[in-house]
Amino acid sequence: MSLDTDTARRLRDGMAQGVLSFPLTSFHEDGSLDPNGFRAYVADQLATAPGALFPACGTGEFFSLDEDEYRQAVSIAVEESGGRVPVVAGTGYGWAQAVRFARIAEEAGADALLVLPHYLIAAPQDGLVAQLEHIAARTRLPLIAYQRGQVAFTVASLKRIAAIPNVIGLKDGHSDLDRLQRLTLAAPEDFLFFNGALTAEIQARAYATVGVPAYSSAVHAFAPEIANAFFAALQAGDHGTVDKLLRDFYVPLVELRDRVPGYSVSLVKAAARLRGRPVGPVRAPLTDPSAADMADLRTLLTAGLDLVGAAL
C-alpha cells in the first residue's frame, strides 16, 4: 500500500470502535431475493453501531448471488449506510469474474472490496499475487485480501501484495498465529489486519496478542447485544465477562455450529429469524437447521441474551 487512503483511515477508526458487520442477505421462502427485507435488516444492523458494513460476503451468501442480486444488495447497503460507516462489498471467483463484481460494487457506491478466496483450485504464490494484481488494475476501489481455505500468503507474497497501491489490508481465516505474526511484522505500518476466523470471538484475545485486535462477528448478525457486550469487555480488559460469555455462549455455539457443514451461515441465519429479522432461508447448497438443532439454538440464544440483559 503506497499511501493511506481515506477509506483505510475510516476502516481503521471503525475497527477500533466496534465489531465488523457482515449482514445476511434476505431471501423470500421461494429463494428469490427480498430487497425490502434486506433493507430493513441492514438498517437494524447499522443501528447497533458496527465499525463497518460488509455486504454480499461469505455470511451474505455471495457465492449464491447473481450479478443483479449483488447489485441490489450492495446498493441497498450503501443507501442505508449513508456514509456513516465504510461499506466493503465482497468479490471473488477467478479474477475476470471478480472484476465484473468489482465494477458493479464501484457503480453502486461501495467504499472498498473484500476479495474472497478464488474458486476451486489450489494455486502457487505467484498466482495468488497475480489474482490481486489483475483485480487491482481494473478497479479504483481499495482491496482487502482474504486468506482462507486454499489462499495462504507467505511473508514474501504479503510484501508484494502490500506494494500494490490499492491493496490496503488482509483478513485472516486460518488462525495460524505463528504465520500471522510473521505477516504483521513484515507488513507496512499502516496495513490493515483483522481476524476473520469462524466465530472470531473465540480467538479474539489470541489474535490481539499478535497485533490483530479487530475482528468480524457472525454473532453480530443475529445478536448484536451479545457481540457488542463481548467487544466492550475485551476492550476494557474485563476478562471475567469475556470468559463467562465464551464459556456459556460462544463455546456452546461453536459446538452447535460444527454439527453440520454450512452451519457457519445457516445457523446464523436461523438465529436471526428467531429474533424476528426478515432474512428468510439459506440457498442451496446450504440447508436450514433441523428442528432439533433449532430447538437447541433457541435455548442457547435465550441464555446468551440473558447474560447481557437482553431477551429473545
Side-chain angles (χ1 to χ4, degrees):
M1 182 172 65
S2 61
L3 55 90
D4 190 8
T5 66
D6 180 63
T7 296
R9 177 191 58 76
R10 293 176 64 214
L11 278 168
R12 185 179 297 106
D13 291 346
M15 289 158 61
Q17 296 168 13
V19 299
L20 306 176
S21 168
F22 282 66
L24 300 155
T25 301
S26 299
F27 299 126
H28 293 293
E29 289 302 318
D30 65 0
S32 61
L33 186 71
D34 178 5
N36 292 333
F38 183 64
R39 186 177 296 278
Y41 174 71
V42 167
D44 180 73
Q45 284 280 288
L46 287 166
T48 63
L53 198 65
F54 286 68
C57 292
T59 306
E61 297 178 78
F62 166 79
F63 48 84
S64 76
L65 300 177
D66 66 28
E67 292 181 10
D68 181 62
E69 292 168 335
Y70 175 86
R71 183 186 302 275
Q72 291 184 69
V74 176
S75 296
I76 288 169
V78 170
E79 291 164 8
E80 289 301 313
S81 173
R84 287 178 287 168
V85 298
V87 175
V88 183
T91 190
Y93 305 115
W95 68 261
Q97 187 64 40
V99 167
R100 291 175 65 92
F101 282 103
R103 289 173 177 161
I104 292 169
E106 195 171 314
E107 292 166 2
D111 296 295
L113 296 164
L114 177 66
V115 182
L116 304 171
H118 63 271
Y119 174 67
L120 190 60
I121 60 171
Q125 292 292 309
D126 283 347
L128 299 181
V129 174
Q131 165 87 340
L132 288 171
E133 289 175 335
H134 280 299
I135 299 169
R138 292 164 175 81
T139 180
R140 296 190 301 271
L141 294 179
L143 306 180
I144 298 170
Y146 187 3
Q147 63 169 16
R148 178 178 172 181
Q150 68 268 39
V151 176
F153 294 104
T154 63
V155 166
S157 294
L158 186 280
K159 291 179 179 179
R160 291 172 64 190
I161 68 171
I164 300 170
N166 51 337
V167 174
I168 62 172
L170 178 72
K171 177 182 180 181
D172 175 70
H174 284 296
S175 304
D176 181 341
L177 297 184
D178 179 288
R179 175 191 289 263
L180 186 59
Q181 180 70 92
R182 296 167 191 265
L183 296 179
T184 61
L185 292 172
E189 184 177 354
D190 54 0
F191 200 72
L192 303 177
F193 286 91
F194 64 95
N195 167 7
L198 294 178
T199 316
E201 287 90 344
I202 291 285
Q203 300 184 68
R205 281 188 296 201
Y207 269 81
T209 65
V210 296
V212 185
Y215 59 90
S216 57
S217 174
V219 170
H220 189 275
F222 64 87
E225 304 96 327
I226 299 174
N228 287 341
F230 183 93
F231 181 85
L234 190 65
Q235 291 289 95
D238 181 358
H239 296 293
T241 297
V242 167
D243 287 344
K244 184 170 182 59
L245 288 169
L246 288 173
R247 184 184 305 110
D248 296 342
F249 176 73
Y250 282 98
V251 169
L253 178 66
V254 168
E255 291 171 351
L256 180 56
R257 182 202 71 199
D258 289 347
R259 288 182 186 176
V260 176
Y263 267 17
S264 57
V265 175
S266 55
L267 201 71
V268 170
K269 211 164 196 184
R273 292 196 301 273
L274 288 175
R275 303 296 307 282
R277 305 299 185 260
V279 297
V282 292
R283 279 181 171 173
L286 300 179
T287 58
D288 288 313
S290 67
D293 289 345
M294 283 296 295
D296 289 345
L297 177 61
R298 178 184 289 273
T299 298
L300 177 58
L301 180 54
T302 300
L305 290 167
D306 185 62
L307 289 172
V308 297
L312 187 62

